[in-house]
Amino acid sequence: MLVSIIIPTYNREYSLKTAIDSCLAQTYENWECIIVDDGSVDDSAIIAKKYCDLDSRLKLIKQNNLGAQAARNTGLRNAKGDWVNFLDSDDAFFPRKLEFQVKQIKANKSIDISTCYGRVLDQRTKKEFNTKYKTQGLILEDLIKGNIYVDFNSPIIRKTKLIEIGFLDESCPSFQEWETHLRLAKICSYNYVPKVLYLYNLYQPDSIHTNEARQIEGLLYIYKKHFDTFLNMNPK
């Protein structure tokens, strides 16, 4: 079972090595890693190229600056695996992440998406906490009510399902993972591995989380796009 890891990156020379190293450290070895450089003006592409020269499982694609969602879609269109795991270039997998989730997928053929718990490091306070969202079966209602959240690093997703929803929405300003899973949750069965298997860095200096206006813009965009879904889930 080949897993395609897709890393979108833009000016992340300070963290990209850690993200790639976390892929190389996986105990499950049947993966490819597609690094999509989204028009970086720092040394991100140079760093990625050096890794690609050392391991044939890694591939670098360079494109003009079109945004993270466009970079993820570029990776998705070039992915050879039937399963996809996105990884943000300032985050990292723990070594047994793919191993545990692939084992779950192989044991249950009805699963379209396997998630896991994550460790969050708040870069403002340097405090850590674990997310323990239990995504089981059909999760749309819980997603809408805010009972659970699925970020991009957590799930391994059946590639055909991402194609079925029309890829990722490149116009969504923020909360892009939420918007993606609002669509996936209508057609996918979820399950989760109750283990902390990745590190998520919150409030990096250049992240969307630090831009309040963009966050509000994203919420308004999602509420408008999915108005009927929200309305039907919360009838008067």
Side-chain angles (χ1 to χ4, degrees), residues 8-72:
T9 189
Y10 176 70
N11 291 347
R12 289 286 171 79
E13 63 180 7
Y14 63 88
S15 62
L16 182 58
K17 289 181 180 180
T18 300
I20 298 174
D21 283 340
S22 77
C23 297
L24 293 170
Q26 290 301 298
T27 54
Y28 182 81
E29 297 182 341
N30 190 16
W31 53 263
E32 65 170 357
C33 179
I34 303 171
I35 305 158
V36 183
D37 183 81
D38 191 46
S40 296
V41 295
D42 65 0
D43 287 340
S44 295
I46 295 173
I47 291 168
K49 180 62 166 57
K50 289 180 179 179
Y51 275 97
C52 294
D53 290 342
L54 296 174
D55 194 315
S56 61
R57 293 176 298 176
L58 287 97
K59 178 181 181 181
L60 171 64
I61 300 175
K62 294 194 288 185
Q63 65 180 33
N64 294 330
N65 183 223
L66 300 172
Q69 291 287 76
R72 293 183 183 104

Side-chain angles (χ1 to χ4, degrees), residues 1 3 5 7 59 70 86 109 114 120 145 167 181 186 189 191 201 221 225 233:
M1 174 179 155
V3 179
I5 304 168
I7 303 179
K59 178 181 181 181
F86 297 107
K109 302 299 183 181
S114 171
V120 178
K145 292 181 177 179
F167 293 82
H181 285 279
K186 295 178 181 180
S189 175
N191 210 329
N201 285 293
Y221 177 91
K225 178 177 179 179
M233 194 62 66

